[in-house]
Amino acid sequence: MCQHMPACPKADQSDRDAAKRMARDDISGWTLLCNGVLLFDDTGELLPNGTVIAPHRPLACERGAA
């Protein structure tokens, strides 16, 4: 699928979100990456094989933690 040089990470690799953007819908809140991954604004993902990756937002730091 990817024609970029160097090739973008494949959908089954851990760095799949680093692939180049191919399409974006700001109203629906998704981005289609060139590896076929749909990346949602809430950080959830839908992989080309139908696997759903739950949102994985960073945890907020607690105030006063040492």
Side-chain angles (χ1 to χ4, degrees), residues 35-47:
N35 57 8
V37 172
L38 271 174
L39 180 62
F40 296 95
D41 287 350
D42 70 353
T43 69
E45 300 175 35
L46 179 60
L47 304 185

Side-chain angles (χ1 to χ4, degrees), residues 15-64:
D15 59 345
R16 64 182 154 262
D17 296 350
K20 301 221 185 260
R21 296 179 188 175
M22 301 304 292
R24 170 98 181 120
D25 187 318
D26 290 325
I27 294 172
S28 297
W30 57 261
T31 301
L32 175 63
L33 304 178
C34 88
N35 57 8
V37 172
L38 271 174
L39 180 62
F40 296 95
D41 287 350
D42 70 353
T43 69
E45 300 175 35
L46 179 60
L47 304 185
N49 66 3
T51 301
V52 174
I53 307 294
H56 46 276
R57 296 181 187 122
L59 297 175
C61 295
E62 294 182 30
R63 292 182 182 230

